[in-house]
Amino acid sequence: MAASSSQAPSCEQAWLEAAQAFIQETLCPPGKGPDVQLTHLVIDCVKTIWLSQGRSQGFTLPLSYSFASVQDLRTRQRLPCCSHLSWSSTAYQAWAQEAGPSGVPLPRERLILVGTLTDLPGDLEQECRNGNLYVRDNTGILGCELIDLDLSWLGHLFLFPSWSYLPPARNCFLPAQAQKQAQSWTKKPGWEAHSIECSGEKSKESLLHPDSWRIIPSWWPSWQPCVCHRTECVRELELELELDGPLLEADRSKSDPKPLPRPSNSQDKKDQKGLVRDSRLLSYTGTVTGVLNQSAGLYELDGQLGLCFAYQQFHGLRQVVRPGVSLELQDVHLLQSVGGGTRRPVLAPCLRGAVLLRGFSRQKPETQSSHQAQGASLYEQLVWEHQLGLPVYLWATKALEDLARKLCPHVLRHHQFLQCSSPGNPSLGLQLLTPTLDVLAPSCCPSRNSHNEILEEPHHCPLQQYARLQTPCCFPTLTTLKEEGQRRAWASFDPKTLLPLPEASHLPSCQLNQRLAWSWLCLLPSAFHPAPVLLGVLVASSRKGCLQLRDQSGSLPCLLLAKHSQPLADPQLIGCLVRVERFQLVVERNVRSSFPSWKELSMAGFIQKQQARVYVQFFLADALILPVPRPFLHSATSSTPPKTVPTLPGGPHVEQSRLFLLSHKEALMKRNFFVPPGASLEVPKPTLSFHVSGNWLGGTQRKEGTGWGSFEPKGNENKDQKVLLIFLGSSVRWFEFLHPGQVYRLVASGPPTPMLFEEGGSSCISQRPLELAGYASCLTVQDEWTVELASSQDIPGVLDINKALPESSLTDLFSANFTDSLVSFSAEILSRTPCEPLSALLWTKPGSTGAVRGCVKLTVALETAGYEFPPHLDIYIEDPHLPPPLGLLPGARVYFNQLEKRVSRSHNVYCCFRSSTYVQVLSFPPDTTISAPLPHIYLAELLQGGQAPFRATASCHIVSVFSLQLFWVCAHCTSLCPQGRCTRQGPTCSAQTSISQASISFLVEDGTAEAVVACRNHQVAAALGLCPSEWTSLLEFVQGPGRVALQFTGPGAHLESSAKIDEPLTLFLRTLCTSPSVLRPIVLSFELERKPSKIIPLEPPQLQRFQCGELPFLTRVNPRIRLSCLSIQEPEHPSSVEAFVSSC
């Protein structure tokens, strides 16, 4: 005890000496001697407050507290804190618990703050006041907020026993503010608002210094409910609450909402949507429960209301207003059902309204992200310059937040994206919103007059009237858009829809699963609500050789066309920001399944694997292209890190280039390359690459200033300039920009290198094949080289280049003399189906589920001039060209260059992809698919050769039946299945599922010609005129024997049957096939059995003998036309068909 008592005076003495030194250095006027009276007054005031808590533990001085100057707070106190000189630890803990379960209370520091209260931001003249309050001492000045200001306090010394300190927010240029636990902020007409922050009520006692220094002890207030100053304060609000989602889609998980009264007299507001409404003027008292966007002045009030300060000057208090702050709002506008993504009512004060802060927050400010602390000037620009109404403003702030999350910080810095527009430096964020804002907020609105808005009667402001905003669009991340496309694609994937039941019930397992292996879905922006806007940085992938859009979330492959039939050819677009409203989101579905038969199509367990390829395709003419500053682009535009160029001797680095005319581009695929002997011991692996061939135009050029110098002389002017360029590694990123008929510039940076682009440069192909192909040189494009689009007009002596794509004639295409030739043509893709591989090495056995990636067949309609009905052709794509290039979809127009033409054993011409094949999409599939009806023709028109349609409809009459087959086969191996048992031997088939199949052949005529029609499976029922129940019963009778075949031959159509003639089933079928139920008028939809690609000539007319009575006649008769049935329908008016036939 004696030791403790002896230490107390020494500790107090040390504390007093430190306090005296602080007061002399920080508070006394500089250059004068010690002010003993001021020192005693300050220390006595501190003692009084310290002893008021009644728990001084025998100490007359707060030894655990130390004085803090303004400079100390600025330089040492980096975290928010509070200090309560008159409080015990128990009192602080009780106060901290009232911060709420979701809020973190301000940490306590034992500091004493003393300073002079002033309204001058520095040692400035009186006219430079800005309406803010400050605490000043000899070390500096600090912003201050105070409740219940008395103007007579200005210029006097204050002791703050209870106060809070908020350091400057990160990346935010707001002044630091010393904070007490109560605050008042008002705005009245004609009077500048004062923002002062202090704790507690004013004491009636004051200690005066002879030199007008004044110390006012401040005590903690007794908290009482706030009462509105206006008698017409609205106590109960009739609110239109849309409870489907949070306010502005903000996270309210940390809020403590207060229940509001539900509407007492509900009205039907649906008719008012889209109409102009009047806002309600009222007063309201509440607590801030969330910060939605501090820079935009958006907050959450009482957990159920939105609060917008954007239409009132709100600069000094952005950091103070946070969850826990109590506000009193006077003459504030209430806007309900504003739409645009806002689902709660919003309170918004205009310049006439008043906002009074009735209580500070006890919570520690949350750490703000970069984008939350930026953009205040841009948001003010939206309100004051662009005159946005509140619904549009709320949508714009939400859109800017989404855009910032998409692009920052890897593509752009937040301050760069959210900077306000200035002459010659438009805001990037605002440019992305301008196309939508031009529609929502026309620029014809009158400018806002602050003076009239405050004083003029009747009152006019932007918040008086509003219309509910239907959300115009949204800016989802590329990953979100991709995932939503996949979700919709698989949600709409239904095997029963892709394979309609009448057709699917007759397909064996291998064909069934093969037909389901590939399908696609095209989604337009109109399919989403709100419509998404595609936004990202255009990059070129060096791993896949395709173009991609990239943002913070990831990348999305894309297919671009400059416009119809014009490919993208300018590599300068790499790194630009692309905004597109019109696009197609394509999802290609690849499925590996093992369905035994059509009966199990509803069982998802037979789907073994699902994969989706998602990409977008659009025209550059429909896009907004914005350049992005280059220093921020590498991480967003390159899929590989930049290679460090070694420093080589030989002087400074220069740029050298050479022009070349591209004549042909080969496919992008993995290739093997020639490796010189001794180069490496490792076995080379196939590398993704492509080749282009062309001609050099002039010699090498060097960079001179901003342009290119003259051509360097070439070694041999008469030497052929044909060159082969090899792109592999990172250089495959130029694949999508290189197209035949264009002139490009190959640019290389580095030390001056003579003969850089000449023969002898780096090459990975041996010389002998190059000489055989006619190339004078071969060059491997280095990874660090770049390609630029050039113009042939800059080259003297070069004529205009013909950019027309070479195409083969129909004579060359369908001639038997060119079976090994390479052909080129433009065509529209009619269908795309997986099929069995053509190669014997990839052939799959019958009964297997099929190879999903084995082969793809494209059926195309050739674009030929002078043909009303273009001929059809099949194109096969096999490995290593799988998966096919982007955009090869039904409905797309495509140019195919150097396809290999082949002829099948049935003399049909078809084409295959080769390594030299070049594909260029000319146009995308139409947004809306309208199936044109088949042309209605006479059968005789089919004898016109190339002018006849491949598919058509004809009204005709069934004359006789030639053959009929009904049988049941194993769904797995297609062997015959009598009584449902598979008959395959060695090895035995264990499948227990059988399917029915049928075929019929009959003769039709329409008075102009005859045709033999072949029908299969479900079409046989229509040909026999049977309803579904009759057809099912007939197939059940056939299941016993497993197969019934009838053949009608000869003039009298005699019956030849595989079964006994006297069997009831055979008698029934024979009677049916010769009855008027089958031999009747029909409307036949068909396609030619002989494809237009068949190269053997038609059979000439043959002499045929006819007997008319006793007289024989000889005449030439054309061969019968052979047709494949697509569908059979009954004529609507049989009499009209008979009249049609009789008129022929």
Side-chain angles (χ1 to χ4, degrees):
M1 287 294 295
S4 176
S5 301
S6 63
Q7 286 181 351
S10 61
C11 293
E12 291 183 354
Q13 184 63 31
W15 188 91
L16 288 173
E17 292 176 358
Q20 292 171 2
F22 175 84
I23 295 171
Q24 177 63 32
E25 179 183 356
T26 307
L27 302 179
C28 293
K32 295 183 180 181
D35 193 331
V36 179
Q37 186 177 3
L38 174 62
T39 302
H40 289 167
L41 287 173
V42 173
I43 294 176
D44 290 343
C45 188
V46 171
K47 287 182 179 180
T48 304
I49 298 174
W50 168 252
L51 295 175
S52 66
Q53 65 175 328
R55 297 182 180 181
S56 59
Q57 299 178 353
F59 295 100
T60 58
L61 294 174
L63 301 181
S64 60
Y65 282 78
S66 60
F67 286 88
S69 65
V70 170
Q71 184 179 8
D72 293 336
L73 291 177
R74 283 185 177 276
T75 58
R76 299 179 183 179
Q77 190 61 37
R78 302 299 178 88
L79 299 176
C81 66
C82 66
S83 179
H84 306 282
L85 180 60
S86 61
W87 282 15
S88 63
S89 299
T90 304
Y92 167 75
Q93 292 175 0
W95 172 85
Q97 289 178 357
E98 296 182 6
S102 59
V104 179
L106 284 167
R108 186 183 183 185
E109 296 289 344
R110 300 180 183 272
L111 301 174
I112 301 174
L113 179 63
V114 183
T116 302
L117 188 65
T118 179
D119 60 346
L120 293 174
D123 296 332
L124 303 174
E125 299 295 334
Q126 184 174 359
E127 55 268 15
C128 294
R129 291 179 172 88
N130 56 15
N132 295 325
L133 290 181
Y134 304 90
V135 172
R136 183 177 63 192
D137 61 15
N138 295 342
T139 64
I141 192 168
L142 200 62
C144 175
E145 303 296 338
L146 182 69
I147 275 185
D148 296 333
L149 172 66
D150 188 338
L151 294 180
S152 63
W153 299 350
L154 297 177
H156 297 288
L157 189 63
F158 273 75
L159 169 64
F160 301 95
S162 295
W163 52 277
S164 300
Y165 173 70
L166 301 180
R170 183 184 304 176
N171 298 319
C172 184
F173 303 100
L174 295 176
Q177 299 177 353
Q179 178 176 346
K180 303 279 300 196
Q181 290 305 108
Q183 175 177 347
S184 170
W185 179 45
T186 60
K187 290 188 87 67
K188 298 181 180 179
W191 183 66
E192 186 69 28
H194 291 268
S195 301
I196 304 174
E197 198 168 312
C198 184
S199 133
E201 300 174 347
K202 301 176 292 296
S203 173
K204 295 181 179 180
E205 301 179 359
S206 62
L207 300 178
L208 300 179
H209 188 269
D211 295 331
S212 301
W213 292 77
R214 187 177 187 181
I215 299 178
I216 303 179
S218 300
W219 305 94
W220 192 252
S222 58
W223 295 97
Q224 297 178 356
C226 297
V227 180
C228 297
H229 292 177
R230 300 173 61 91
T231 57
E232 55 269 28
C233 172
V234 178
R235 297 305 182 102
E236 293 185 0
L237 303 179
E238 180 183 345
L239 302 178
E240 298 175 13
L241 299 178
E242 300 180 26
L243 301 178
D244 294 337
L247 172 66
L248 291 179
E249 300 181 1
D251 183 8
R252 296 199 303 111
S253 59
K254 298 183 179 181
S255 62
D256 186 14
K258 298 179 181 179
L260 292 177
R262 296 304 298 264
S264 57
N265 50 346
S266 59
Q267 294 179 339
D268 187 9
K269 305 291 184 179
K270 295 182 180 180
D271 296 335
Q272 299 183 16
K273 290 185 178 181
L275 303 178
V276 176
R277 295 182 172 189
D278 293 326
S279 63
R280 297 177 60 181
L281 200 63
L282 50 86
S283 296
Y284 184 83
T285 300
T287 302
V288 175
T289 54
V291 179
L292 305 179
N293 189 327
Q294 186 185 76
S295 299
L298 299 178
Y299 301 87
E300 186 183 64
L301 201 61
D302 291 332
Q304 295 183 346
L305 294 174
L307 179 60
C308 177
F309 285 131
Y311 293 84
Q312 190 180 70
Q313 297 291 342
F314 185 70
H315 298 285
L317 296 180
R318 281 196 178 94
Q319 197 171 359
V320 177
V321 178
R322 63 186 193 278
V325 169
S326 179
L327 298 177
E328 179 184 337
L329 308 175
Q330 297 179 0
D331 292 334
V332 65
H333 293 267
L334 172 66
L335 293 83
Q336 306 188 66
S337 299
V338 296
T342 304
R343 298 182 174 91
R344 301 295 176 87
V346 180
L347 294 174
C350 64
L351 293 179
R352 176 174 288 193
V355 180
L356 288 80
L357 277 70
R358 292 303 188 188
F360 288 117
S361 173
R362 307 180 184 190
Q363 298 182 16
K364 180 181 178 180
E366 295 182 357
T367 303
Q368 288 188 340
S369 60
S370 298
H371 73 275
Q372 291 175 330
Q374 301 289 341
S377 299
L378 176 60
Y379 292 121
E380 291 180 1
Q381 202 170 31
L382 293 176
V383 173
W384 294 93
E385 295 185 17
H386 294 270
Q387 305 292 320
L388 297 187
L390 182 63
V392 181
Y393 176 76
L394 295 178
W395 172 83
T397 57
K398 178 63 169 58
L400 286 174
E401 290 180 2
D402 294 340
L403 292 173
R405 282 190 290 266
K406 281 174 60 67
L407 303 176
C408 303
H410 296 308
V411 178
L412 288 171
R413 299 296 183 261
H414 285 95
H415 70 86
Q416 185 183 32
F417 176 73
L418 295 174
Q419 67 180 359
C420 62
S421 296
S422 59
N425 187 23
S427 167
L428 184 59
L430 193 56
Q431 290 183 77
L432 296 175
L433 293 185
T434 296
T436 305
L437 294 181
D438 288 343
V439 178
L440 298 178
S443 57
C444 58
C445 299
S447 59
R448 192 175 177 189
N449 189 311
S450 303
H451 185 269
N452 293 340
E453 185 174 323
I454 297 174
L455 300 177
E456 190 177 46
E457 293 293 344
H459 176 60
H460 293 286
C461 73
L463 299 173
Q464 276 187 303
Q465 292 184 332
Y466 66 100
R468 178 179 174 85
L469 177 66
Q470 297 294 331
T471 306
C473 60
C474 62
F475 297 89
T477 63
L478 296 177
T479 299
T480 300
L481 187 63
K482 180 179 180 180
E483 292 175 351
E484 178 63 18
Q486 288 181 327
R487 187 193 66 80
R488 295 196 179 200
W490 293 120
S492 61
F493 177 75
D494 184 9
K496 291 185 176 181
T497 303
L498 296 176
L499 293 177
L501 186 58
E503 179 184 4
S505 60
H506 303 283
L507 294 178
S509 177
C510 59
Q511 296 182 14
L512 192 73
N513 293 289
Q514 200 172 69
R515 295 277 292 274
L516 296 174
W518 183 88
S519 58
W520 69 294
L521 178 68
C522 181
L523 296 172
L524 302 178
S526 57
F528 301 84
H529 182 75
V533 175
L534 189 64
L535 181 69
V537 176
L538 185 65
V539 300
S541 173
S542 59
R543 297 179 179 179
K544 298 181 179 180
C546 66
L547 296 178
Q548 295 177 341
L549 289 178
R550 187 168 297 174
D551 63 8
Q552 288 280 106
S553 66
S555 59
L556 184 62
C558 59
L559 179 62
L560 276 72
L561 292 179
K563 55 184 181 181
H564 284 282
S565 303
Q566 182 176 335
L568 191 67
D570 189 1
Q572 293 295 326
L573 293 172
I574 294 180
C576 290
L577 196 59
V578 180
R579 180 191 188 275
V580 192
E581 295 184 8
R582 296 181 57 188
F583 62 91
Q584 294 179 343
L585 179 63
V586 179
V587 184
E588 296 184 15
R589 297 173 295 213
N590 294 281
V591 176
R592 182 181 301 171
S593 60
S594 58
F595 289 103
S597 68
W598 63 275
K599 297 178 181 178
E600 292 81 14
L601 286 180
S602 59
M603 302 180 184
F606 290 100
I607 298 179
Q608 300 171 342
K609 187 177 181 180
Q610 291 181 339
Q611 286 183 336
R613 183 165 71 160
V614 185
Y615 57 94
V616 291
Q617 49 190 22
F618 57 90
F619 292 102
L620 203 62
D622 297 331
L624 174 64
I625 308 297
L626 298 176
V628 178
R630 297 292 172 178
F632 304 106
L633 278 181
H634 175 73
S635 62
T637 59
S638 177
S639 58
T640 57
K643 292 188 177 181
T644 303
V645 180
T647 303
L648 300 176
H653 287 204
V654 297
E655 289 189 28
Q656 302 179 85
S657 69
R658 195 168 184 184
L659 295 171
F660 69 94
L661 170 63
L662 196 152
S663 58
H664 177 67
K665 180 175 75 170
E666 296 193 357
L668 179 66
M669 56 182 291
K670 289 188 176 182
R671 292 178 170 87
N672 294 318
F673 288 99
F674 169 75
V675 179
S680 176
L681 298 179
E682 297 182 0
V683 178
K685 297 180 180 180
T687 305
L688 186 66
S689 64
F690 70 97
H691 303 165
V692 300
S693 59
N695 292 82
W696 293 120
L697 301 179
T700 303
Q701 296 175 279
R702 294 192 179 185
K703 194 79 171 183
E704 295 181 358
T706 58
W708 295 97
S710 58
F711 296 101
E712 295 181 357
K714 295 174 289 185
N716 187 356
E717 297 291 341
N718 298 325
K719 188 177 180 180
D720 189 5
Q721 297 295 305
K722 191 174 181 181
V723 62
L724 178 68
L725 298 179
I726 302 174
F727 293 79
L728 72 161
S730 295
S731 63
V732 300
R733 66 186 183 274
W734 307 111
F735 178 78
E736 291 293 338
F737 295 98
L738 299 177
H739 301 282
Q742 300 286 350
V743 178
Y744 297 92
R745 183 183 297 273
L746 192 61
V747 182
S749 298
T753 305
M755 310 293 290
L756 178 63
F757 303 109
E758 299 294 336
E759 180 182 0
S762 58
S763 174
C764 51
I765 295 183
S766 57
Q767 191 65 25
R768 182 56 180 167
L770 296 175
E771 295 176 355
L772 295 175
Y775 294 107
S777 62
C778 176
L779 189 66
T780 300
V781 178
Q782 303 301 310
D783 293 346
E784 62 272 13
W785 292 2
T786 59
V787 177
E788 300 176 0
L789 181 65
S791 174
S792 60
Q793 299 176 356
D794 300 332
I795 308 170
V798 178
L799 301 177
D800 292 336
I801 298 173
N802 182 16
K803 298 183 179 181
L805 300 175
E807 295 193 2
S808 305
S809 64
L810 285 182
T811 303
D812 295 338
L813 190 59
F814 296 122
S815 173
N817 298 328
F818 296 91
T819 56
D820 296 329
S821 66
L822 299 178
V823 295
S824 304
F825 52 82
S826 299
E828 177 185 352
I829 299 179
L830 300 178
S831 64
R832 170 177 167 177
T833 55
C835 63
E836 296 290 340
L838 299 178
S839 174
L841 296 177
L842 298 178
W843 182 78
T844 54
K845 296 181 179 180
S848 65
T849 57
V852 176
R853 292 169 52 91
C855 186
V856 173
K857 183 179 76 171
L858 302 178
T859 301
V860 301
L862 302 178
E863 294 184 355
T864 54
Y867 279 77
E868 182 181 1
F869 305 105
H872 295 184
L873 189 68
D874 291 336
I875 302 174
Y876 292 89
I877 308 175
E878 296 183 282
D879 282 327
H881 303 283
L882 294 177
L886 301 182
L888 299 188
L889 303 171
R893 292 178 53 249
V894 183
Y895 171 71
F896 299 93
N897 181 255
Q898 290 198 6
L899 289 172
E900 180 185 5
K901 187 183 79 171
R902 298 180 183 178
V903 180
S904 67
R905 285 175 293 181
S906 58
H907 305 285
N908 283 316
V909 174
Y910 66 96
C911 295
C912 296
F913 270 48
R914 293 190 56 179
S915 60
S916 61
T917 300
Y918 161 69
V919 176
Q920 176 182 321
V921 177
L922 301 177
S923 65
F924 306 129
D927 292 343
T928 56
T929 303
I930 302 177
S931 57
L934 297 177
H936 198 95
I937 65 170
Y938 295 104
L939 295 179
E941 297 180 42
L942 299 177
L943 301 175
Q944 298 177 3
Q947 298 298 326
F950 180 63
R951 293 183 176 182
T953 300
S955 298
C956 52
H957 194 281
I958 298 179
V959 177
S960 60
V961 175
F962 289 154
S963 63
L964 173 65
Q965 289 191 71
L966 303 174
F967 48 93
W968 287 81
V969 297
C970 175
H972 181 70
C973 65
T974 67
S975 300
L976 196 64
C977 279
Q979 297 181 356
R981 293 190 297 270
C982 181
T983 58
R984 193 181 76 170
Q985 301 292 331
T988 305
C989 178
S990 60
Q992 301 295 327
T993 305
S994 59
I995 58 173
S996 62
Q997 293 186 345
S999 64
I1000 189 173
S1001 175
F1002 54 85
L1003 179 69
V1004 297
E1005 58 89 19
D1006 65 349
T1008 65
E1010 292 181 340
V1012 178
V1013 182
C1015 299
R1016 294 182 58 82
N1017 298 329
H1018 63 282
Q1019 300 167 354
V1020 176
L1024 296 178
L1026 301 178
C1027 67
S1029 59
E1030 294 172 339
W1031 175 246
T1032 303
S1033 300
L1034 176 61
L1035 293 178
E1036 290 177 353
F1037 280 109
V1038 177
Q1039 193 170 14
R1043 179 175 180 269
V1044 174
L1046 289 84
Q1047 189 75 23
F1048 300 88
T1049 59
H1054 298 292
L1055 176 65
E1056 294 181 2
S1057 174
S1058 61
K1060 297 181 180 180
I1061 298 179
D1062 57 348
E1063 289 184 353
L1065 181 59
T1066 304
L1067 294 176
F1068 169 75
L1069 292 176
R1070 182 183 62 183
T1071 304
L1072 178 64
C1073 291
T1074 56
S1075 68
S1077 300
V1078 175
L1079 309 180
R1080 69 192 190 280
I1082 60 172
V1083 178
L1084 177 68
S1085 297
F1086 60 88
E1087 67 179 12
L1088 295 176
E1089 187 178 276
R1090 173 193 174 96
K1091 296 183 178 180
S1093 56
K1094 204 174 188 69
I1095 59 176
I1096 60 174
L1098 293 173
E1099 298 179 8
Q1102 301 291 333
L1103 282 175
Q1104 187 171 346
R1105 180 184 298 272
F1106 292 91
Q1107 190 74 23
C1108 183
E1110 297 180 355
L1111 299 176
F1113 291 91
L1114 285 176
T1115 184
R1116 294 188 179 274
V1117 179
N1118 290 317
R1120 287 173 176 173
I1121 308 168
R1122 295 191 174 273
L1123 307 176
S1124 295
C1125 175
L1126 298 177
S1127 67
I1128 295 177
Q1129 296 179 353
E1130 303 298 328
E1132 296 182 1
H1133 304 287
S1135 58
S1136 63
V1137 176
E1138 296 175 358
F1140 171 78
V1141 174
S1142 62
S1143 63
C1144 297

